[in-house]
Amino acid sequence: MSNLSNNFIKDTILKLLGAIGSEKEIKKYIEKFSSPEQRFAVIKVGGSVIENDLKNLISSLIFLNQVGLKPVILHGAGPMLSAALEDQKIDFSFIDGQRVTSSKVRDVAHSVFSETNKKIVQALEAQGATATSLISNIFECTQENSDLGYVGAIQTINIKLINETLESDSIPVIAPIGHQENEMLNINADIATVELVKSINPYKAIFLSETGGIFNKNGQLIPTINLALEYDELMQEEWLHSGMKLKLEQIKSLLDYLPKTASVSITEPVNLPKELFTDSGSGTLIKHGYSVVQHELPNQETEKQFKNIIETSFSGKLADNFFDNSNNLKIFMTSCKRATIAISNDFSIPYMDKFGVIPEAKGEGLGAGIWHEMRKVYPQVFWRSRPNNPINSFYTSICEGCQKQDEWHIFWIGISDYGALKDCIEYAINKPKSVI
Ligand code: ARG
């Protein structure tokens, strides 16, 4: 490897590591993603990313290569294909997002996809990685819809070739071109990705796009989506445009099919390392998710599960008298029993007494999911947290107000009356510790 590429790699790693999180988080994810039990990831790279952001894409992929992670890459080339067809004055149209493909369109598609594929492979190799072009030899197809012309419906995937490529330490870079015997067929890249993910069954499916996630009606990035809780609500939102709805529908069918540990991330190339190696990530993480149940007390089983989550999350012991007044306590818990919230109704305004997510489940979006469910029941709530608690940035982002004192930070939502607020703060400060 030349000195130039050595330096490039060193710089890239330093640049990316500096922007990331703690060493502990990074190590946790590298270990998880390197497990021999499950492939790491399938990464779909949109055509416009290759056109406009190739440098960041390559840096991020080289970074993964440097830490020993080999994803399977599948790329699009839609915008380049449209431009080439326009240049050559070849007409084209779409039916339900799929390109109607005449034999002329198919031939241009083959050459544009091959060119794009080689561009990625060459850029990776120029930075010292080994990569393999897989064009038209992965997807065995049939032609099912004559209205679409030379478009392939995937029947089988040549997993053996992908595995051999990975085992020879090379990154497979796949173009969405299939074949039926000797006839080449065009495949929509998102459809090819979904089928590829189903057959590889990796920890993660990653969609790299220029926008880098799903955004809410105020244009803010949605950091996590828990499908079990949020899918129906989201699909009814007017602000979610139809392209995103379609994508979310595809992602749901994917996650319904995969084990519950799998997840989908949508992010942009420059943020890929942060998305992968930190709990908070930097794009939109979508999980199958878990439902949240609201429990009435007393109930010994719930109390035991609650105690277990809180003691693991806070590395302490729950006070023996925590459940003494349990008629006034409401417990929210995810069905996986790894995240919980306790609301105490001892005071005139509901007080969030505990909010715990066990350390292994951090980064999955369980906290955001359970919070969302609790808030549907409690429009007014206040709580406290130690000034050095790492969760405070999340609290700051969701609260409507906060008072910082030496020993405690007090947060609230839905309380505007100054007198009531003063009493809440007083109550929170004087509340005895519940974890020792
Ligand atoms: N690093 C973890 C993963 O890749 C968590 C990512 C969290 N991302 C997010 N956008 N909330 O699975």
Side-chain angles (χ1 to χ4, degrees):
M1 197 189 303
S2 70
N3 267 346
L4 201 72
S5 50
N6 254 335
N7 284 341
F8 174 86
I9 289 167
K10 229 167 133 195
D11 279 358
T12 309
I13 292 188
L14 289 178
K15 197 171 89 197
L16 292 171
L17 273 179
I20 291 183
S22 70
E23 209 180 308
K24 204 170 131 208
E25 271 177 298
I26 298 171
K27 274 204 177 137
K28 172 175 95 176
Y29 285 110
I30 292 183
E31 258 164 48
K32 180 171 167 183
F33 297 145
S34 322
S35 135
E37 277 148 40
Q38 205 172 2
R39 290 274 181 225
F40 157 50
V42 170
I43 303 184
K44 149 84 198 292
V45 188
S48 61
V49 166
I50 303 161
E51 220 173 20
N52 304 322
D53 203 13
L54 186 67
K55 214 167 141 226
N56 284 322
L57 171 70
I58 299 300
S59 300
S60 291
L61 296 178
I62 291 288
F63 177 69
L64 296 183
N65 198 51
Q66 288 299 305
V67 295
L69 293 174
K70 291 226 158 20
V72 175
I73 314 283
L74 189 136
H75 66 88
M80 295 85 127
L81 175 56
S82 297
L85 292 170
E86 273 159 25
D87 267 3
Q88 298 179 39
K89 309 224 170 346
I90 301 172
D91 288 341
F92 61 94
S93 58
F94 290 92
I95 299 178
D96 292 337
Q98 297 208 68
R99 198 183 293 264
V100 178
T101 307
S102 63
S103 68
K104 270 193 191 161
V105 171
R106 189 265 320 266
D107 293 347
V108 181
H110 181 241
S111 89
V112 170
F113 275 97
S114 306
E115 208 180 292
T116 306
N117 185 287
K118 290 192 179 129
K119 196 166 163 184
I120 303 172
V121 168
Q122 277 162 10
L124 285 170
E125 298 212 313
Q127 303 306 336
T130 313
T132 304
S133 267
L134 298 170
I135 305 164
S136 80
N137 51 0
I138 294 299
F139 303 107
E140 204 173 297
C141 299
T142 52
Q143 241 174 298
E144 275 180 5
N145 182 345
S146 55
D147 292 344
L148 288 172
Y150 290 90
V151 165
I154 299 173
Q155 301 303 319
T156 48
I157 297 185
N158 192 344
I159 282 295
K160 194 163 159 265
L161 187 53
I162 298 174
N163 283 337
E164 280 166 8
T165 308
L166 288 167
E167 263 122 52
S168 68
D169 254 356
S170 182
I171 306 167
V173 181
I174 305 175
I177 302 274
H179 66 275
Q180 180 174 28
E181 285 155 17
N182 290 329
E183 187 84 272
M184 256 173 313
L185 297 169
N186 185 18
I187 313 169
N188 170 295
D190 281 323
I191 297 179
T193 306
V194 168
E195 293 307 314
L196 194 62
V197 172
K198 283 185 180 167
S199 89
I200 292 183
N201 194 1
Y203 264 124
K204 297 212 58 108
I206 300 163
F207 291 85
L208 293 181
S209 66
E210 280 194 286
T211 47
I214 300 183
F215 294 81
N216 70 15
K217 63 169 175 287
N218 303 320
Q220 292 153 327
L221 180 85
I222 305 177
T224 54
I225 296 177
N226 175 329
L227 291 176
L229 296 174
E230 295 166 72
Y231 182 73
D232 293 338
E233 270 173 54
L234 273 172
M235 292 307 267
Q236 267 155 35
E237 297 290 3
E238 275 165 26
W239 50 264
L240 196 67
H241 64 81
S242 57
M244 261 312 162
K245 282 191 180 154
L246 194 71
K247 189 147 212 163
L248 212 54
E249 224 168 59
Q250 279 177 347
I251 291 174
K252 179 168 188 311
S253 87
L254 199 59
L255 289 172
D256 281 344
Y257 182 92
L258 296 175
K260 275 203 160 179
T261 44
S263 66
V264 171
S265 284
I266 307 179
T267 187
E268 53 184 330
V270 73
N271 283 328
L272 179 61
K274 187 157 185 233
E275 172 63 13
L276 287 173
F277 302 120
T278 65
D279 289 338
S280 52
S282 66
T284 301
L285 177 85
I286 306 165
K287 293 221 47 150
H288 189 281
Y290 296 91
S291 56
V292 172
V293 181
Q294 191 185 330
H295 300 269
E296 303 290 327
L297 295 180
N299 173 325
Q300 275 193 350
E301 188 58 23
T302 306
E303 289 171 23
K304 210 173 100 199
Q305 287 158 343
F306 176 85
K307 185 168 170 358
N308 181 33
I309 302 172
I310 294 301
E311 294 191 342
T312 326
S313 321
F314 289 87
S315 315
K317 212 182 150 307
L318 189 69
D320 287 338
N321 63 0
F322 188 81
F323 295 112
D324 280 1
N325 218 352
S326 69
N327 289 335
N328 282 344
L329 270 184
K330 286 274 180 298
I331 304 287
F332 292 80
M333 202 181 286
T334 53
S335 56
C336 60
K337 321 267 184 257
R338 294 185 302 156
T340 191
I341 285 178
I343 301 285
S344 151
N345 292 297
D346 279 347
F347 188 63
S348 53
I349 295 179
Y351 173 70
M352 181 169 74
D353 202 333
K354 280 279 146 292
F355 182 178
V357 178
I358 67 163
E360 295 89 87
K362 292 220 165 93
E364 289 184 22
L366 289 182
I370 197 168
W371 172 263
H372 185 79
E373 292 306 291
M374 180 279 283
R375 289 279 295 123
K376 287 188 193 158
V377 186
Y378 292 101
Q380 274 194 318
V381 63
F382 69 106
W383 66 101
R384 73 181 182 187
S385 165
R386 291 283 184 202
N388 59 354
N389 193 330
I391 199 178
N392 288 346
S393 55
F394 170 67
Y395 285 161
T396 307
S397 72
I398 49 163
C399 73
E400 283 172 7
C402 165
Q403 189 172 104
K404 296 181 177 172
Q405 309 217 346
D406 286 350
E407 217 181 331
W408 297 106
H409 288 182
I410 297 97
F411 301 86
W412 60 89
I413 287 183
I415 312 168
S416 45
D417 179 88
Y418 183 70
L421 206 51
K422 237 177 99 214
D423 293 344
C424 290
I425 293 172
E426 183 79 18
Y427 175 88
I429 292 172
N430 292 317
K431 185 110 181 134
K433 277 202 244 172
S434 51
V435 175
I436 299 131

